[in-house]
Amino acid sequence: MPLNIEKQMKAQLSEDILNVLKLCSKIADEHNFKIYLIGGIVRDLILKRKSLDIDITVEGDAVKFCHILAEKNCCKILQVQNELKTAKALFDGEIEIDFASTRQEFYPHRGHLPVVVKIGCSLQEDVYRRDFTINSLAMSLNKKDYGDVIDYVGGIKDLSNKKIRVLHDNSFNEDPSRILRALKFAARFNFHRDARTKALQEKYINTQIHNDISWTRIKSELKQCFSLNSAKIYDMFLANDNYKLIYGQKPEIKGLEIKTLVDKYNPYNVWLVYLGTVLTNTQIIEQFCFTRSEKKIFSDIEYLLNNHLSMMNTNYDIYKFFVKKSTESILVYYLLTQRKEALKYLENLSLIRVELNGDEIKAMGIQNGREIGEILDELLKKKLNGTIVKKGDEIKFVKSKIK
Ligand code: CTP
């Protein structure tokens, strides 16, 4: 008897989502489509966890199925990808569902994106292109076996044994980003890799030349892992030698130290504080296709590490060293060098401002632009060393200059 999880669906999914799934089920039956919930959502239903995305696989042509739904005013199609025959649809103005056609994939080059060899294959053929057994479960949405879990690879058993297991020996060669996916799932569910998966991963990391990989996927998985702000993921990333995947360096830093700083200083790109402590190879950084603001964080880190802050420094020196540098880069600098000045800047010096502006100084009678700049700089020095605090004293200082 297959495992049936209709009860779990009722317990975990909203009434609205359940109604949308029933609607898809009805239309699929009427038009002879076999459709399934697939991947993460089935895993999460069995684990009784909240799932983020709803993915439906159509055995056949998912785009055709979506058009039928749209013609019957059941949904609005948001996106269609005709090559892969996938579509995104919106139900009731708020429920988004991704529809994919069953497909078989082939990896012509190790680590690169796969090419599709067959669309509309059997569910079983579709399942074998996936990463881990726990992500290869499908749940029927057709009326006759609604809620039945189809498990071709032993995923249910692995879920109960808390095991992360690849489907075949070539899995990491095909897609090394799966190494990071394993890390993400291990941390999220407190699961462990089975012995074979662990050995295959170690073999890939330690013996393969792996610079010809899809950096886009690697970046996406690193972002997901480190955005969790989890000390455990970072510690596992280092302990499992995952940093070698990105030609990183292994710093003597504990995840908890990073997490504590991130919680205190709230940088926008949390994930780059974790990654920045490891990723120093400029050639690899270029491969990552970082956005402009992400690139700035890495160039700031490079600047801070290569331009030494003197040991005998004033508040003004510290301010000048860190000003205009991203919070992320300053935190990475602190983590790698333990220079306390970095925290002094973030906590205290970065908040200090000269209140007068150039126009106000001009109005007080100083016309020369260079002179105004020098006065502003002197004011900044005095504010940083505490000899001037209030705006009134700034004005007094400028007046003294005019005399
Ligand atoms: N998948 C894969 N290999 C990858 C990425 C994804 O085989 N490198 C498959 C898995 O079967 C996965 C599905 O595609 O379940 C959907 O991928 P994704 O949405 O990234 O993962 P989820 O398992 O849904 O995980 P999450 O809960 O983090 O969204």
Side-chain angles (χ1 to χ4, degrees):
M1 272 281 279
L3 171 70
N4 187 289
I5 55 170
E6 192 176 354
K7 253 195 196 154
Q8 259 112 308
M9 291 173 76
K10 286 185 178 151
Q12 277 163 253
L13 303 179
S14 72
E15 197 67 36
D16 291 344
I17 292 178
L18 290 170
N19 288 339
V20 166
L21 295 179
K22 281 283 180 192
L23 182 66
C24 292
S25 168
K26 182 170 161 279
I27 307 287
D29 281 340
E30 283 170 11
H31 291 81
N32 285 322
F33 281 95
K34 277 188 171 172
I35 65 167
Y36 307 88
L37 283 183
I38 191 95
I41 184 160
V42 184
R43 173 199 69 213
D44 293 340
L45 281 167
I46 297 174
L47 289 175
K48 300 192 169 63
R49 288 178 69 105
K50 200 172 155 45
S51 201
L52 303 171
D53 305 319
I54 306 171
D55 290 307
I56 290 182
T57 281
V58 178
E59 213 171 40
D61 185 343
V63 174
K64 204 162 147 193
F65 179 61
C66 271
H67 280 304
I68 296 174
L69 286 169
E71 276 159 25
K72 293 181 182 293
N73 287 326
C74 302
C75 70
K76 196 176 139 205
I77 297 180
L78 299 177
Q79 240 177 48
V80 169
Q81 223 268 32
N82 266 317
E83 264 163 57
L84 287 183
K85 294 261 179 248
T86 61
K88 191 187 269 302
L90 185 72
F91 295 78
D92 298 339
E94 57 173 354
I95 299 167
E96 268 186 29
I97 299 187
D98 285 313
F99 290 87
S101 307
T102 43
R103 65 174 189 260
Q104 245 182 331
E105 288 176 345
F106 167 69
Y107 286 81
H109 303 290
R110 199 168 54 84
H112 285 247
L113 297 180
V115 291
V116 174
V117 284
K118 188 169 157 196
I119 289 189
C121 59
S122 68
L123 175 70
Q124 187 162 11
E125 286 168 319
D126 176 278
V127 155
Y128 282 114
R129 74 180 163 85
R130 294 178 183 271
D131 53 359
F132 306 112
T133 59
I134 57 168
N135 290 338
S136 304
L137 296 165
M139 189 214 86
S140 172
L141 284 169
N142 291 94
K143 189 170 179 194
K144 78 171 180 22
D145 50 3
Y146 193 86
D148 276 3
V149 177
I150 296 113
D151 180 7
Y152 291 115
V153 291
I156 297 175
K157 189 165 157 237
D158 285 339
L159 277 178
S160 63
N161 291 334
K162 295 176 169 280
K163 281 275 172 279
I164 298 171
R165 186 160 62 88
V166 284
L167 304 192
H168 54 80
D169 283 3
N170 215 22
S171 191
F172 296 127
N173 286 328
E174 287 181 349
D175 182 356
S177 73
R178 289 175 174 165
I179 291 174
L180 300 170
R181 288 176 63 79
L183 175 73
K184 176 175 77 178
F185 296 123
R188 193 192 287 171
F189 305 133
N190 202 13
F191 279 21
H192 299 279
R193 297 161 295 166
D194 80 318
R196 179 175 68 125
T197 302
K198 196 167 167 233
L200 288 169
Q201 191 168 315
E202 277 163 13
K203 183 172 169 210
Y204 182 86
I205 287 177
N206 291 313
T207 64
Q208 310 264 4
I209 306 156
H210 38 254
N211 61 351
D212 60 337
I213 58 182
S214 164
W215 291 102
T216 317
R217 280 192 174 182
I218 297 277
K219 179 186 168 186
S220 158
E221 292 300 337
L222 283 169
K223 187 170 180 177
Q224 289 180 54
C225 283
F226 289 142
S227 293
L228 295 173
N229 188 16
S230 149
K232 186 174 161 190
I233 282 208
Y234 184 79
D235 293 341
M236 282 166 67
F237 180 80
L238 296 187
N240 295 347
D241 285 350
N242 290 171
Y243 66 94
K244 289 186 185 170
L245 195 62
I246 54 168
Y247 294 94
Q249 55 154 10
K250 187 179 189 175
E252 289 295 319
I253 299 174
K254 290 270 168 270
L256 187 60
E257 194 186 352
I258 307 184
K259 186 176 163 43
T260 309
L261 288 172
V262 161
D263 290 343
K264 184 163 179 192
Y265 296 102
N266 278 317
Y268 182 72
N269 288 290
V270 167
W271 69 290
L272 291 179
V273 180
Y274 287 89
L275 186 60
T277 61
V278 176
L279 183 59
T280 46
N281 183 323
T282 41
Q283 260 175 311
I284 301 296
I285 290 173
E286 269 165 36
Q287 310 253 30
F288 262 85
C289 303
F290 283 122
T291 62
R292 260 174 67 176
S293 58
E294 290 166 353
K295 271 189 196 146
K296 179 177 182 310
I297 293 173
F298 283 95
S299 59
D300 284 353
I301 296 172
E302 201 185 343
Y303 173 89
L304 293 174
L305 291 174
N306 292 333
N307 291 276
H308 295 289
L309 180 61
S310 67
M311 283 297 177
M312 299 286 291
N313 45 49
T314 63
N315 284 352
Y316 180 76
D317 297 331
I318 298 169
Y319 184 92
K320 285 282 175 188
F321 187 66
F322 291 112
V323 71
K324 297 210 174 85
K325 299 290 175 285
S326 46
T327 306
E328 292 85 345
S329 66
I330 298 173
L331 291 175
V332 171
Y333 175 79
Y334 170 71
L335 286 158
L336 293 176
T337 63
Q338 294 296 312
R339 292 291 299 259
K340 295 264 187 291
E341 294 92 334
L343 301 187
K344 182 175 185 182
Y345 174 80
L346 287 178
E347 237 158 76
N348 181 342
L349 304 183
S350 65
L351 307 174
I352 293 175
R353 299 258 181 285
V354 173
E355 288 175 69
L356 281 176
N357 60 38
D359 287 337
E360 286 171 300
I361 296 176
K362 209 171 178 178
M364 288 168 75
I366 296 177
Q367 297 303 320
N368 183 309
R370 201 177 51 114
E371 220 179 306
I372 294 176
E374 282 166 7
I375 290 180
L376 282 170
D377 205 45
E378 277 185 72
L379 277 171
L380 178 65
K381 259 185 207 158
K382 290 190 179 300
K383 291 213 90 160
L384 287 166
N385 68 24
T387 49
I388 286 184
V389 180
K390 292 186 194 134
K391 189 170 179 180
D393 296 328
E394 289 183 20
I395 294 172
K396 263 188 216 156
F397 176 78
V398 178
K399 281 185 179 158
S400 77
K401 285 279 170 190
I402 296 168
K403 273 175 207 158

